[in-house]
Amino acid sequence: MTQSRRMLVLRAVVEDYIRSQEPVGSTSLTKAHDLGVSSATVRNDMAALEDEGYLIQPHTSAGRIPTEKGYRYFVDRLATVMPLSPAQRSGIATFLSGSVSLQDTLQRAARLLSQITGQVAVVASPALSKATLRHVEIVPVGASVLLAVVITDTGRVAQHTLAVRPMPAADDLSRFCDVVNQQCSGLSFAAAVDRLHAITADPAWRAASSVGESLAAAFSTMADDERANEMYVAGASKLAHQRTPADLAPLFDALEEQVVIMRLMSTLSEEPGPDGVGVAIGSETHTPGLMHASVVTSGYGRTATADAETTGSNADEPGKTGDARTAVTDAANADSTGLAEPLAFVGSIGPTHMDYAATIAAVRAVARYLTASLAADGGPIGD
């Protein structure tokens, strides 16, 4: 009983410190929480928690504040993550539904997450290696040069110039492009390379064999591209109001090291907790500039089943079924992210005394909206 009560005291200290950012004393704790024991007993519990490494006392006469170990215990035992309010969910859906491209969607998502949390928001675009082919268009741009415009299931658009000799006739090129789309759409780029080789091996496509070989080389390059094309960051200036000047320089240096942030957040998103969200606190980030910060991140991408993202409170409303914006809105209400495979990540970076429950809820909701957005016709949702 003593140990369980002691951990209730720890939870209360963390909650109060997150709210006030002031050391918490036993008297104030007893007044604010129904712990069922005296202030003296709470003081003894806090001393024991300090001995166990969950709390520290910054000054002799001051109260106590959580350590990394204290925050970790608190995060691991969050009973529930409060869902966003209906107004917040509607606001997110409306804000993201106005996107005109994948880039615009991700930029908006970063700005939105930063506004919700008051922290730095980071959103990565999906790597080409994790995408599948949605459509390819091939057009002549020179005597022996073609331009291949490749659209992926994530809404990415890539352009490749193809040097071909001899140049096939316009009709042959058009028919070849049609058959590539028929047979390769929905395949990973690695699988599309194999399929292209099989197509060009057919004598019926001898006239377009050079096109097939050049296009296969382009697809192979895309299949090997493990990098996220871009990382969108918003809200860095907000940290200036939460951190001391001594903390800011290493933190901004860390944000400049995009490869480090990418690796950290990718790892967290691929090994999430039960909410589908990963949390690294202070030294757990293994990043010098983030020793006094916490990182909360979640993957977004393909869903295990379409129903996981399109079933929600609006499903039975007339005129709502199948509506893209409704799918995005309902995504926030799902019990699980339902991801078959994370394609990229969305996350928040803030002080170790961040409001973890609120940040986890916001990151999880935005990740679900991005997943639903990508699922709607293979790209961002429009009006």
Side-chain angles (χ1 to χ4, degrees), residues 284-314:
E284 295 173 358
T285 66
H286 305 292
T287 305
L290 300 178
M291 287 297 103
H292 302 289
S294 290
V295 177
V296 178
T297 189
S298 177
Y300 70 88
R302 301 189 183 98
T303 55
T305 63
D307 290 342
E309 301 300 337
T310 57
T311 300
S313 59
N314 293 328

Short mmCIF file of all heavy atoms in Angstrom, two decimals, residues 284-314:
data_model
loop_
_atom_site.label_atom_id
_atom_site.label_comp_id
_atom_site.label_asym_id
_atom_site.label_seq_id
_atom_site.Cartn_x
_atom_site.Cartn_y
_atom_site.Cartn_z
N GLU A 284 17.40 9.94 -22.97
CA GLU A 284 16.91 8.85 -23.81
C GLU A 284 16.99 9.21 -25.30
O GLU A 284 16.96 8.32 -26.15
CB GLU A 284 15.46 8.51 -23.46
CG GLU A 284 15.26 7.96 -22.06
CD GLU A 284 13.80 7.81 -21.69
OE1 GLU A 284 12.92 8.18 -22.50
OE2 GLU A 284 13.51 7.31 -20.58
N THR A 285 17.08 10.50 -25.61
CA THR A 285 17.19 10.92 -27.01
C THR A 285 18.59 10.67 -27.56
O THR A 285 18.78 10.67 -28.78
CB THR A 285 16.88 12.42 -27.15
OG1 THR A 285 17.89 13.19 -26.48
CG2 THR A 285 15.51 12.76 -26.59
N HIS A 286 19.58 10.48 -26.66
CA HIS A 286 20.97 10.28 -27.08
C HIS A 286 21.45 11.41 -27.99
O HIS A 286 22.26 11.20 -28.89
CB HIS A 286 21.15 8.92 -27.79
CG HIS A 286 20.69 7.75 -26.97
ND1 HIS A 286 21.33 7.35 -25.83
CD2 HIS A 286 19.61 6.93 -27.12
CE1 HIS A 286 20.70 6.31 -25.30
NE2 HIS A 286 19.64 6.03 -26.07
N THR A 287 20.92 12.60 -27.74
CA THR A 287 21.27 13.78 -28.54
C THR A 287 21.64 14.90 -27.57
O THR A 287 20.79 15.35 -26.79
CB THR A 287 20.08 14.23 -29.40
OG1 THR A 287 19.65 13.12 -30.20
CG2 THR A 287 20.45 15.39 -30.30
N PRO A 288 22.90 15.36 -27.58
CA PRO A 288 23.35 16.36 -26.60
C PRO A 288 22.43 17.57 -26.50
O PRO A 288 22.12 18.03 -25.40
CB PRO A 288 24.74 16.75 -27.11
CG PRO A 288 25.22 15.51 -27.81
CD PRO A 288 24.00 14.92 -28.45
N GLY A 289 21.96 18.09 -27.62
CA GLY A 289 21.13 19.28 -27.60
C GLY A 289 19.74 19.06 -27.03
O GLY A 289 19.01 20.02 -26.77
N LEU A 290 19.36 17.79 -26.83
CA LEU A 290 18.03 17.46 -26.34
C LEU A 290 18.05 16.88 -24.93
O LEU A 290 17.09 16.26 -24.49
CB LEU A 290 17.33 16.48 -27.29
CG LEU A 290 17.13 16.95 -28.73
CD1 LEU A 290 16.47 15.86 -29.56
CD2 LEU A 290 16.30 18.23 -28.78
N MET A 291 19.15 17.12 -24.20
CA MET A 291 19.27 16.57 -22.86
C MET A 291 18.22 17.11 -21.91
O MET A 291 17.87 16.49 -20.91
CB MET A 291 20.67 16.87 -22.30
CG MET A 291 21.79 16.06 -22.92
SD MET A 291 21.65 14.27 -22.64
CE MET A 291 21.06 13.72 -24.25
N HIS A 292 17.71 18.32 -22.19
CA HIS A 292 16.68 18.91 -21.34
C HIS A 292 15.35 19.02 -22.08
O HIS A 292 14.51 19.86 -21.75
CB HIS A 292 17.13 20.29 -20.86
CG HIS A 292 18.42 20.27 -20.10
ND1 HIS A 292 18.52 19.75 -18.83
CD2 HIS A 292 19.66 20.68 -20.44
CE1 HIS A 292 19.78 19.85 -18.40
NE2 HIS A 292 20.48 20.40 -19.37
N ALA A 293 15.17 18.17 -23.06
CA ALA A 293 13.94 18.19 -23.87
C ALA A 293 13.35 16.80 -23.95
O ALA A 293 14.00 15.80 -23.65
CB ALA A 293 14.24 18.73 -25.27
N SER A 294 12.10 16.75 -24.36
CA SER A 294 11.43 15.48 -24.62
C SER A 294 10.90 15.48 -26.05
O SER A 294 10.55 16.53 -26.59
CB SER A 294 10.29 15.24 -23.64
OG SER A 294 10.77 14.99 -22.35
N VAL A 295 10.87 14.30 -26.64
CA VAL A 295 10.42 14.14 -28.02
C VAL A 295 9.24 13.17 -28.03
O VAL A 295 9.33 12.07 -27.47
CB VAL A 295 11.56 13.61 -28.91
CG1 VAL A 295 11.05 13.37 -30.33
CG2 VAL A 295 12.72 14.58 -28.92
N VAL A 296 8.15 13.58 -28.64
CA VAL A 296 6.95 12.74 -28.77
C VAL A 296 6.67 12.59 -30.26
O VAL A 296 6.55 13.59 -30.97
CB VAL A 296 5.74 13.38 -28.07
CG1 VAL A 296 4.49 12.53 -28.27
CG2 VAL A 296 6.02 13.60 -26.59
N THR A 297 6.58 11.37 -30.75
CA THR A 297 6.41 11.19 -32.19
C THR A 297 5.55 9.97 -32.51
O THR A 297 5.43 9.04 -31.71
CB THR A 297 7.78 11.06 -32.88
OG1 THR A 297 7.62 11.10 -34.29
CG2 THR A 297 8.48 9.77 -32.51
N SER A 298 4.95 10.02 -33.69
CA SER A 298 4.11 8.91 -34.15
C SER A 298 4.30 8.75 -35.66
O SER A 298 4.53 9.74 -36.36
CB SER A 298 2.64 9.19 -33.84
OG SER A 298 1.81 8.17 -34.35
N GLY A 299 4.19 7.54 -36.13
CA GLY A 299 4.24 7.30 -37.57
C GLY A 299 2.90 7.58 -38.21
O GLY A 299 1.85 7.52 -37.57
N TYR A 300 2.93 7.90 -39.49
CA TYR A 300 1.69 7.97 -40.27
C TYR A 300 1.95 7.27 -41.58
O TYR A 300 3.09 7.12 -42.01
CB TYR A 300 1.24 9.43 -40.48
CG TYR A 300 2.11 10.24 -41.43
CD1 TYR A 300 1.87 10.25 -42.80
CD2 TYR A 300 3.17 11.01 -40.95
CE1 TYR A 300 2.65 10.99 -43.66
CE2 TYR A 300 3.96 11.75 -41.80
CZ TYR A 300 3.70 11.75 -43.16
OH TYR A 300 4.49 12.48 -44.02
N GLY A 301 0.87 6.82 -42.22
CA GLY A 301 1.09 6.11 -43.49
C GLY A 301 -0.06 5.22 -43.87
O GLY A 301 -1.21 5.61 -43.74
N ARG A 302 0.26 4.01 -44.30
CA ARG A 302 -0.78 3.10 -44.77
C ARG A 302 -1.49 2.45 -43.59
O ARG A 302 -0.88 2.10 -42.60
CB ARG A 302 -0.17 2.01 -45.66
CG ARG A 302 0.54 2.57 -46.88
CD ARG A 302 0.93 1.45 -47.84
NE ARG A 302 1.67 2.01 -48.94
CZ ARG A 302 2.99 2.04 -49.02
NH1 ARG A 302 3.72 1.50 -48.06
NH2 ARG A 302 3.60 2.58 -50.05
N THR A 303 -2.80 2.27 -43.74
CA THR A 303 -3.57 1.62 -42.70
C THR A 303 -3.70 0.14 -42.99
O THR A 303 -3.65 -0.31 -44.14
CB THR A 303 -4.98 2.23 -42.62
OG1 THR A 303 -5.60 2.17 -43.91
CG2 THR A 303 -4.92 3.68 -42.17
N ALA A 304 -3.89 -0.62 -41.90
CA ALA A 304 -4.07 -2.07 -42.07
C ALA A 304 -5.37 -2.36 -42.80
O ALA A 304 -5.46 -3.25 -43.62
CB ALA A 304 -4.06 -2.74 -40.70
N THR A 305 -6.40 -1.58 -42.49
CA THR A 305 -7.68 -1.71 -43.19
C THR A 305 -8.25 -0.33 -43.37
O THR A 305 -8.08 0.55 -42.55
CB THR A 305 -8.69 -2.55 -42.38
OG1 THR A 305 -8.96 -1.88 -41.16
CG2 THR A 305 -8.18 -3.95 -42.11
N ALA A 306 -8.95 -0.15 -44.45
CA ALA A 306 -9.55 1.16 -44.71
C ALA A 306 -10.57 1.51 -43.63
O ALA A 306 -10.73 2.67 -43.26
CB ALA A 306 -10.22 1.17 -46.08
N ASP A 307 -11.25 0.49 -43.08
CA ASP A 307 -12.29 0.76 -42.10
C ASP A 307 -11.73 1.39 -40.84
O ASP A 307 -12.44 2.10 -40.12
CB ASP A 307 -13.02 -0.53 -41.71
CG ASP A 307 -13.88 -1.04 -42.86
OD1 ASP A 307 -14.16 -0.25 -43.78
OD2 ASP A 307 -14.26 -2.22 -42.83
N ALA A 308 -10.46 1.12 -40.54
CA ALA A 308 -9.89 1.66 -39.32
C ALA A 308 -9.87 3.17 -39.33
O ALA A 308 -9.87 3.81 -38.30
CB ALA A 308 -8.45 1.14 -39.14
N GLU A 309 -9.86 3.77 -40.52
CA GLU A 309 -9.78 5.22 -40.59
C GLU A 309 -11.07 5.88 -41.05
O GLU A 309 -11.21 7.08 -40.95
CB GLU A 309 -8.66 5.63 -41.57
CG GLU A 309 -7.29 5.11 -41.18
CD GLU A 309 -6.86 5.62 -39.81
OE1 GLU A 309 -7.37 6.67 -39.37
OE2 GLU A 309 -6.03 4.96 -39.19
N THR A 310 -12.02 5.10 -41.57
CA THR A 310 -13.21 5.74 -42.13
C THR A 310 -14.47 5.48 -41.32
O THR A 310 -15.55 5.92 -41.69
CB THR A 310 -13.46 5.25 -43.57
OG1 THR A 310 -13.56 3.82 -43.56
CG2 THR A 310 -12.33 5.67 -44.48
N THR A 311 -14.36 4.72 -40.21
CA THR A 311 -15.52 4.47 -39.38
C THR A 311 -15.48 5.40 -38.19
O THR A 311 -14.50 5.44 -37.48
CB THR A 311 -15.52 3.00 -38.88
OG1 THR A 311 -15.54 2.15 -40.01
CG2 THR A 311 -16.73 2.74 -38.01
N GLY A 312 -16.54 6.15 -37.95
CA GLY A 312 -16.54 7.07 -36.83
C GLY A 312 -17.92 7.60 -36.56
O GLY A 312 -18.93 7.09 -37.03
N SER A 313 -17.94 8.68 -35.77
CA SER A 313 -19.22 9.20 -35.30
C SER A 313 -20.10 9.74 -36.41
O SER A 313 -21.31 9.84 -36.25
CB SER A 313 -18.96 10.32 -34.29
OG SER A 313 -18.20 11.35 -34.89
N ASN A 314 -19.54 10.07 -37.55
CA ASN A 314 -20.34 10.63 -38.64
C ASN A 314 -20.75 9.60 -39.67
O ASN A 314 -21.35 9.92 -40.68
CB ASN A 314 -19.57 11.75 -39.35
CG ASN A 314 -19.38 12.95 -38.45
OD1 ASN A 314 -20.22 13.24 -37.61
ND2 ASN A 314 -18.27 13.65 -38.61
#
